[in-house]
Amino acid sequence: MKSQEALARIVEGVKKFQAEVYPAEREMFERLRSRQQPMAMFITCADSRVVPNLFTQTGPGDFFVERNPGNLVPPYSDFVGGVSGGVEYAMLVLNVPLVIICGHTDCGVMKGLLHPDHVHGLPAVQEWMRHASEAGHRIMRDHSDATEEEKLRLITEYNVLAQIENLKSHPSVHSRVTSGEVGIRGWVYDIGEGSIWAADPESGRFNKVGATKPE
Ligand SMILES: [Zn+2]
């Protein structure tokens, strides 16, 4: 798709939003005009197929969102501005009661960790992926014989668990976790299936959320 074509399609969407969606939800948008009180901070990948408000059936004002390649939270000591600032704001200004870190299937960053040649010539991506290297090491150490598919699933889960630990290294999070003011959950979104897998906080095992079958 060319640039003009892409822009035209997006502008069509803006027109439709203004003509149909906004008028139907006017009250909600006016309520949100000058304040937000999100129910969670949602940290996920920049991947275009991951749409948190869609798969959780939430809307404007519900999530304070941080997105970046690989849904990474650099440890506080590394002080990476954007993510650290978002975390601090969510904790100390918005006082969100919950943080969800959500990875996903077919993640380019996870594949890059398994196959560093995939990110050859991408120095910024390589540098950023450093914050996910622990999950890669864990795969090499414990699952070097696993199938490719299994490795990708496991590295995606391990990365979410590692990012939860990184998140806890932020002082604003640490104090609120200790006092029980904020809960942290790790999820993996399966794009092709539309399913969500949540980490058990004790065992770190991932189980399907809302496992009622649609049929
Ligand atoms: Zn991704």
Side-chain angles (χ1 to χ4, degrees), residues 95-142:
N95 294 307
V96 296
L98 175 67
V99 181
I100 293 175
I101 300 184
C102 185
H104 67 97
T105 54
D106 198 48
C107 183
V109 174
M110 298 304 113
K111 291 196 231 173
L113 284 169
L114 291 177
H115 302 283
D117 53 308
H118 285 195
V119 289
H120 180 73
L122 304 173
V125 174
Q126 285 172 353
E127 176 64 15
W128 177 243
M129 276 169 49
R130 209 165 45 80
H131 303 294
S133 57
E134 196 185 307
H137 295 150
R138 195 169 163 190
I139 293 294
M140 281 189 275
R141 193 183 63 221
D142 301 339

Side-chain angles (χ1 to χ4, degrees), residues 9 20 90 139 170:
R9 202 168 125 194
E20 297 170 24
I139 293 294
H170 291 243

Side-chain angles (χ1 to χ4, degrees), residues 42 44 50-58 63 65 67:
F42 204 96
T44 194
V50 178
V51 187
N53 286 132
L54 184 65
F55 61 70
T56 60
Q57 288 295 285
T58 50
F63 290 157
V65 180
R67 302 190 71 150

Side-chain angles (χ1 to χ4, degrees), residues 61-89:
D62 288 337
F63 290 157
F64 184 73
V65 180
E66 166 66 38
R67 302 190 71 150
N68 59 60
N71 39 271
L72 309 185
V73 182
Y76 189 72
S77 54
D78 289 6
F79 199 75
V80 178
V83 182
S84 303
V87 167
E88 201 169 77
Y89 193 79

Side-chain angles (χ1 to χ4, degrees), residues 6-72:
L7 183 61
R9 202 168 125 194
I10 294 167
V11 169
E12 271 316 299
V14 171
K15 287 184 192 157
K16 187 169 181 215
F17 169 75
Q18 288 170 353
E20 297 170 24
V21 180
Y22 181 89
E25 298 282 350
R26 183 185 298 274
E27 243 174 64
M28 177 196 65
F29 287 109
E30 283 177 356
R31 207 172 55 239
L32 293 172
R33 184 187 293 272
S34 57
R35 63 184 291 269
Q36 62 166 332
Q37 192 173 20
M39 62 171 117
M41 178 176 196
F42 204 96
I43 301 173
T44 194
C45 186
D47 193 295
S48 63
R49 300 163 295 177
V50 178
V51 187
N53 286 132
L54 184 65
F55 61 70
T56 60
Q57 288 295 285
T58 50
D62 288 337
F63 290 157
F64 184 73
V65 180
E66 166 66 38
R67 302 190 71 150
N68 59 60
N71 39 271
L72 309 185

